Amino acid sequence: MAYQGLIEKYREFLPVSDKTPVITLLEGNTPLIPAPRISRLIEGNPQIFLKYEGLNPTASFKDRGMTMAVSKAVEEGSRAVMCASTGNTSASAAAYAARAGIDAIVLIPKGAIALGKLAQALMHGAKVVAVDGNFDDALRLVKEITSKYPITLVNSLNPYRIEGQKSGAFEICEQLGGSPDFQAMPVGNAGNITAYWKGYQEFREAGKIVRLPEMLGFQAEGAAPIVRGEVVEKPETIATAIRIGNPASWRQAELARDESGGLIDFVSDVEILEAYQLLASGEGVFVEPASAAGVAGLIKVARTGMFKETDKIVCILTGHGLKDPDRAINSSVEPPVVAATVEAVVKEIGY
Ligand code: F0G
């Protein structure tokens, strides 16, 4: 039968029943792409695979959690969902609310979300409000408002978000024919690392895999509260998606790190941008800057000699490059303008 979305595919692992109205845009089922050029660049030459979550319906991994959160909200009779967002959660909440025929309200940090994400939230008909503050301020407001009004919170504090997002781990195990040795990913509000770790653990309990991967999480240097062990009051990074100073799932991220024997480290904006370019021009995979943090982190930690050739490492590429066209243009050389003649073009291209 044709693919029907991740709730149908992984129903036995999810808190849904026959009564749950499944709100889906056929999210999930994203490719796991081998990355031979990056493998050669990383010390120890481990086998690198890219889980390209930018190919979800709204072009980020958030759709995995949102299909669950919105389906359960509708099941519970909710008429509105609300989130704080650095952009992707708002795009996804807006799309799934549109699909369900309910309202979406999103709070975004003023001037700090990528253009494509804002376009999505607006086009899907969400009520978008920019807050004069950062993501952490917006999340605090959303928590308070949703506790007082009949509006369902769909940030990853909503446990159904984590339930949906754990499906990424299931897919990876099926695609690899077992678990990877390591998984590398960006960490912002820390819901996704929590979800993946839960997914791997459940797949092992179900006897589908034998071992668990080591979880490697990477924050941006200017927004690295978990690495530093304290709240960052004014988080700063070009990777706006992970510009978060007080992650909601902080403790769970530490558990994923410690239980798996992994690590959470930070990468600089320069390292993030290098990995961003490398993915796009070296492997043909265009991601947004935050999504490149996992690859940047691998390049960094590999210098300690922790990987070998037989290791399989999966990088979660959380969002599509087209989300942030400004950053892409600013990171590139402006195309030259020439006369509309064959001679001028041939001269320019050097033939
Ligand atoms: N990568 C991208 C592209 C993201 O949008 C996010 C989070 C993350 C990584 C980090 O995931 O928060 O689960 O640790 N974006 C949220 C948002 C905060 O509002 O869209 P996390």
Side-chain angles (χ1 to χ4, degrees):
M1 208 205 292
Y3 183 71
Q4 289 184 293
L6 65 85
I7 294 183
E8 291 308 339
K9 174 107 194 265
Y10 297 111
R11 192 168 262 279
E12 62 183 303
F13 292 95
L14 295 170
V16 289
S17 72
D18 297 346
K19 293 187 197 64
T20 312
V22 175
I23 310 297
T24 180
L25 291 165
L26 308 187
E27 57 295 310
N29 198 25
T30 57
L32 188 68
I33 307 170
R37 210 164 268 136
I38 295 179
S39 295
R40 284 198 294 278
L41 267 170
I42 290 183
E43 218 169 290
N45 306 125
Q47 299 166 54
I48 305 289
F49 298 86
L50 309 172
K51 183 67 170 160
Y52 195 17
E53 291 289 282
L55 296 187
N56 274 294
T58 76
S60 88
F61 73 97
K62 304 289 180 178
D63 297 340
R64 293 183 183 275
M66 212 53 77
T67 185
M68 274 300 297
V70 173
S71 295
K72 294 302 283 189
V74 173
E75 180 177 358
E76 288 157 12
S78 177
R79 299 297 309 156
V81 296
M82 186 173 191
C83 63
S85 182
T86 56
N88 282 323
T89 302
S90 63
S92 187
Y96 282 80
R99 186 82 188 170
I102 62 174
D103 294 335
I105 307 150
V106 306
L107 294 199
I108 54 171
K110 189 182 105 196
I113 82 165
L115 195 65
K117 305 174 188 182
L118 180 58
Q120 288 178 291
L122 294 170
M123 280 303 292
H124 290 304
K127 171 83 183 160
V128 180
V129 182
V131 172
D132 195 5
N134 60 30
F135 170 85
D136 304 290
D137 298 318
L139 183 57
R140 180 172 42 77
L141 299 174
V142 167
K143 280 198 269 188
E144 191 170 333
I145 292 165
T146 53
S147 73
K148 289 190 181 147
Y149 296 90
I151 308 174
T152 306
L153 175 149
V154 292
N155 279 103
S156 56
L157 288 163
N158 178 325
Y160 299 124
R161 283 276 313 277
I162 304 293
E163 291 298 316
Q165 283 173 213
K166 75 187 180 189
S167 63
F170 299 164
E171 287 178 16
I172 289 169
C173 295
E174 289 170 352
Q175 288 167 314
L176 279 181
S179 54
D181 297 286
F182 299 89
Q183 178 177 300
M185 66 198 305
V187 174
N189 213 23
N192 212 27
I193 191 168
T194 303
Y196 269 93
W197 183 234
K198 186 166 199 278
Y200 285 120
Q201 286 176 302
E202 289 184 11
F203 239 34
R204 189 178 64 170
E205 277 153 32
K208 303 228 179 221
I209 54 172
V210 195
R211 291 173 311 105
L212 295 168
E214 288 185 35
M215 304 294 284
L216 313 177
F218 297 97
Q219 301 195 292
E221 187 168 12
I226 300 175
V227 183
R228 299 189 192 282
E230 59 186 24
V231 171
V232 176
E233 296 293 344
K234 291 199 169 18
E236 278 308 336
T237 168
I238 53 99
T240 52
I242 53 171
R243 186 166 167 265
I244 294 174
N246 189 11
S249 301
W250 188 323
R251 184 77 201 108
Q252 292 90 319
E254 288 178 335
L255 279 177
R257 175 194 65 193
D258 299 340
E259 290 174 3
S260 74
L263 57 84
I264 298 181
D265 199 350
F266 63 67
V267 283
S268 69
D269 280 1
V270 170
E271 289 169 320
I272 289 174
L273 288 175
E274 280 169 4
Y276 171 66
Q277 296 271 5
L278 173 64
L279 280 160
S281 64
E283 297 288 3
V285 179
F286 189 24
V287 301
E288 63 172 289
S291 305
V295 172
L298 278 183
I299 295 172
K300 178 181 176 184
V301 300
R303 296 188 195 119
T304 62
M306 67 188 277
F307 305 128
K308 53 183 187 300
E309 253 175 69
T310 50
D311 285 338
K312 290 193 173 111
I313 308 183
V314 172
C315 297
I316 313 299
L317 303 184
T318 47
H320 202 286
L322 290 172
K323 292 270 191 180
D324 195 349
D326 296 314
R327 178 57 58 190
I329 303 281
N330 290 339
S331 305
S332 308
V333 178
E334 205 182 315
V337 179
V338 300
T341 65
V342 169
E343 293 74 31
V345 173
V346 168
K347 181 163 178 255
E348 180 57 43
I349 63 178
Y351 275 79

